[in-house]
Amino acid sequence: MASIYIETYGCQMNEADSQYIADRASASGYAVTDDAAAANVVVINTCTVRDNAEKRAYGRMAQFKKLKLADPGVKLVVCGCLAEQDRDVMTGKAPYIDAVFGTRDLARLGDALATWRPEFGDDEIDLTQENLLLGKLGGHGDCVGDAYAHVRAFVNVQRGCSYFCTYCIVPHVRGRFDNRALDDILSECRAAIARGAREITLVGQTVNAYKEPASNADFADLLAIVSALPGIDRLTFLTSHPKDYTPKLAATMGALPNLNPRFHLPVQSGSDPILRRMNRKYSVAQYREKIALFRATCPDWALTTDLIVAFPGESDDDFERTLALCDEMSFAQAFMFVYSPRRGTPAALWEQVPPQIGGERLRRLAETIDRGVRAFHAPKIGTTVRALVQGPSRKDRSKLAAKTIDNVTVIAPAGALGEFELRERPWLDVSIDAVFTWGCSGEIAGIAARYDDPSPVAAARPTIDLVTAR
Ligand code: SAH
Ligand code: SF4
Ligand code: F3S
C-alpha cells in the first residue's frame, strides 16, 4: 500500500500542520510509516527560526536525495516555514525536490497527495486497517504518527503573528494573526477526544491574544469552553505573550481543574533597553508584575520561558540583568538561544555581538537556569507522579519516556508493559528515585486510563497531586 513518511522540525505550529498532513494522507489511503526508505512520499516539514534550523533542513534534504536516486518514483516534498521563505530558490538549491509547499499551501499539499495516490499501486484502500492511523513515524525530527501520538493532540487556535519582534522571522513566514472560529476549534477538539486524546494542547504563536472574530470570545473564554468539553482529560496551551496575560486569564487559569499546571511565558531578556529594541512591548517591571499575579493565582505551577542572549547591542550589564532576573524567577525550565540573524528582520542589520561572547553568555545562563530546574525537580524525589506516555526513551529503548502534567520528563524501565496495555491506559504512575536537570527517573508503579482515575497503588503513594493541591 502507498505510504508516507513525515519528518517535523520547529514548533507546535509545524506539529499541528504535520498532523493535518497525516490525516489528509490517511484519508487518501496512505499508511503513515516511520521508515523513510520504504515510503512513496517523504515530507520534510521545515523550520527557519534560527540559522541552524535552516541548515539542518537543507542537510536533511541532501540526505533524502539518496532515496530519490534509488527510486525515482519516490516523491520528495518540502513544506513549512523554510519552504515559505525559500519557495522561489529551493528547487534551485535542491533540484531533486519534487514539490515545495509554503505555510499557506497545506490544503494544496493534501490535494497533491490524493492526486499522486494512484501512482503508487492500485491496491484496495482499507481505512480500517490498524496501521493506517497508528503507523509509526520516527527519524530525526519529531513525528506525528508514533504509537502513542493519539494521546496528544495539537489544535491550532490561531495562525501567524502580528507582533514583529525585531529578531523574529515568524510573522514573515506565517503571516499576521488569523484567529480560527471557535466552532472549528471545538470540533477539532471533539474529534481528538473521540480518537483517544488525553491531552489537548491549544497552539499558536501568541494564543493568549486570541479573539474569536464573530463572538468576541477571548482566550480565557476559549479555555473555559474547551476545558468543559465532554470526555476531555487534560488541557494545556503554547505559547503566550506577556503583554496579553490579563487578570481575567490569570483567574481562569487558576480556576480550571483540568488545566495542566504549567505556563510558558517567554521573557527573552532581563534588560529594558534590550526588550525595547526587541519590540517586546513590556518592561522587566511589567513582566515581574505579571509573574506576581501568576504565582498568586496559580501556586505550584511550573513557569517556563524562552531567552535570547547576545541580541545586537546587548552589553555585559544587560546580560547580567538577564542572569539576575532568571535567578529571581527560578524558572522550571527554559529554552535558551544565541541570537541568530534572520534575513529581512530589522535586528539582522544592526551591529552584532561577536559569536564567542554569545557562546560564553549562553553557558553562564544555562548554569543559572539549571539551578532553578534542579530546585523544581528536587521535591519530586520519593513521590509518585502521574505522567503521560511518550514512547520508548531515545537513549534506551527498554525504558519508557513520559511527561508529567507540569511538563517534566520522566524515564522508567518499561518492564513487560507494551503498546497493548498503554494505548488504552497511557498514564504512568512513576515513583521517582532520582532527579536530574533533564527530568526524573524511577519505577512504574501502575498505569491508568485517565488522569483522574484512582491509582492502583493509591495507598502506597505520597502523591503530589498538582491539581487538587491548588
Ligand atoms: N511566539 C513565541 C516565540 C516563537 S519562536 C513568543 O513570542 O514567545 C520561539 C523562540 O525562539 C522565541 O521565544 C525566541 O526565544 C527564539 N527566537 C526566535 N527568533 C530567534 C532568533 N532570530 N535568534 C535566536 N532566537 C530566536
Ligand atoms: Fe516571533 Fe515575537 Fe511573534 Fe513570538 S511574538 S512569534 S517572537 S514576532
Ligand atoms: Fe519554526 Fe515556523 Fe515554528 S519558523 S519555530 S516552525 S512558526
Side-chain angles (χ1 to χ4, degrees):
M1 128 176 265
S3 62
I4 183 169
Y5 171 86
I6 309 169
E7 197 162 286
T8 312
Y9 294 90
C11 69
Q12 331 80 30
M13 311 306 298
N14 272 7
E15 298 275 353
D17 287 350
S18 286
Q19 187 83 58
Y20 170 86
I21 297 165
D23 290 347
R24 287 288 309 266
S26 298
S28 304
Y30 290 82
V32 181
T33 172
D34 68 349
D35 183 3
N40 300 107
V41 179
V42 171
V43 178
I44 317 177
N45 194 357
T46 58
C47 171
T48 183
V49 74
R50 286 169 292 277
D51 186 51
N52 52 6
E54 173 169 346
K55 289 218 170 72
R56 192 178 309 132
Y58 277 110
R60 251 347 235 163
M61 287 179 224
Q63 284 170 330
F64 282 138
K65 182 180 172 186
K66 287 201 289 280
L67 301 178
K68 187 83 188 168
L69 292 175
D71 175 3
V74 168
K75 300 242 187 258
L76 287 186
V77 176
V78 184
C79 63
C81 297
L82 179 64
E84 179 72 34
Q85 177 191 284
D86 280 6
R87 51 197 309 152
D88 301 331
V89 293
M90 191 168 270
T91 43
K93 284 185 177 179
Y96 44 89
I97 296 293
D98 290 283
V100 178
F101 294 94
T103 50
R104 299 166 185 87
D105 296 335
L106 272 193
R108 278 210 304 117
L109 167 50
D111 297 343
L113 291 174
T115 312
W116 294 335
R117 174 66 188 77
E119 292 180 32
F120 308 123
D122 57 358
D123 48 344
E124 234 170 62
I125 299 174
D126 176 7
L127 288 174
T128 59
Q129 201 172 311
E130 242 311 74
N131 73 347
L132 208 64
L133 283 161
L134 312 176
K136 292 179 186 161
L137 282 174
H140 301 241
D142 282 336
C143 288
V144 254
D146 65 49
Y148 308 111
H150 67 290
V151 305
R152 290 184 170 79
F154 295 93
V155 176
N156 245 313
V157 305
Q158 112 211 117
R159 299 187 182 279
C161 178
S162 307
Y163 283 169
F164 287 92
C165 300
T166 52
Y167 50 82
C168 184
I169 194 76
V170 171
H172 305 268
V173 290
R174 288 259 167 195
R176 310 291 155 87
F177 280 139
D178 177 12
N179 293 314
R180 288 183 71 196
L182 194 58
D183 282 348
D184 293 349
I185 297 170
L186 293 179
S187 53
E188 210 174 305
C189 291
R190 284 194 198 97
I193 294 167
R195 279 201 300 263
R198 301 308 202 282
E199 184 181 272
I200 292 182
T201 306
L202 301 176
V203 301
Q205 288 300 354
T206 304
V207 285
N208 59 337
Y210 177 82
K211 270 263 186 314
E212 138 99 329
S215 70
N216 228 19
D218 64 13
F219 187 64
D221 300 326
L222 178 68
L223 276 184
I225 295 169
V226 175
S227 86
L229 284 176
I232 190 167
D233 199 354
R234 305 296 310 178
L235 176 63
T236 187
F237 56 94
L238 279 173
T239 300
S240 299
H241 194 289
K243 167 178 156 325
D244 299 301
Y245 178 65
T246 60
K248 177 180 172 186
L249 178 55
T252 305
M253 283 166 53
L256 298 177
N258 56 358
L259 202 55
N260 281 356
R262 60 164 307 212
F263 188 36
H264 188 67
L265 200 65
V267 65
Q268 312 297 1
S269 167
S271 162
D272 281 336
I274 296 296
L275 287 175
R276 237 184 342 266
R277 288 156 54 83
M278 286 178 163
N279 189 28
R280 285 296 288 181
K281 313 177 206 302
Y282 53 85
S283 64
V284 176
Q286 284 166 332
Y287 188 83
R288 260 196 202 103
E289 273 168 34
K290 307 255 175 188
I291 297 308
L293 175 62
F294 164 69
R295 294 290 189 205
T297 45
C298 297
D300 303 325
W301 280 40
L303 174 67
T304 60
T305 202
D306 292 347
L307 293 148
I308 298 176
V309 299
F311 184 77
E314 185 186 73
S315 66
D316 286 340
D317 180 58
D318 293 319
F319 176 64
E320 293 297 333
R321 285 169 197 270
T322 298
L323 286 183
L325 184 71
C326 291
D327 239 346
E328 179 189 329
M329 293 290 146
S330 193
F331 294 109
Q333 194 53 269
F335 296 104
M336 296 164 267
F337 310 102
V338 177
Y339 168 72
S340 167
R342 308 313 292 138
R343 277 189 302 283
T345 62
L349 303 173
W350 302 341
E351 196 184 330
Q352 303 293 312
V353 173
Q356 52 296 8
I357 294 185
E360 177 59 17
R361 287 183 184 166
L362 188 67
R363 193 188 59 71
R364 287 188 58 205
L365 180 61
E367 280 173 9
T368 301
I369 291 295
D370 279 355
R371 278 199 292 278
V373 175
R374 273 195 291 265
F376 186 72
H377 291 169
K380 295 195 189 294
I381 279 216
T383 69
T384 299
V385 298
R386 188 161 276 191
L388 189 59
V389 68
Q390 289 182 297
S393 156
R394 283 189 191 184
K395 284 206 187 107
D396 178 351
R397 311 283 298 175
S398 73
K399 294 184 174 161
L400 283 170
K403 281 258 182 178
T404 62
I405 55 172
D406 54 356
N407 205 39
V408 175
T409 298
V410 175
I411 304 280
L417 283 176
E419 282 179 31
F420 182 72
E421 299 86 1
L422 293 173
R423 287 182 42 76
E424 290 307 314
R425 296 204 280 162
W427 290 103
L428 311 179
D429 284 334
V430 183
S431 53
I432 301 301
D433 46 39
V435 296
F436 309 88
T437 44
W438 55 259
C440 310
S441 67
E443 300 289 328
I444 297 175
I447 59 176
R450 292 177 58 86
Y451 184 78
D452 289 330
D453 284 355
S455 166
V457 287
R461 60 173 191 152
T463 308
I464 298 184
D465 190 329
L466 287 154
V467 178
T468 52
R470 298 204 328 263

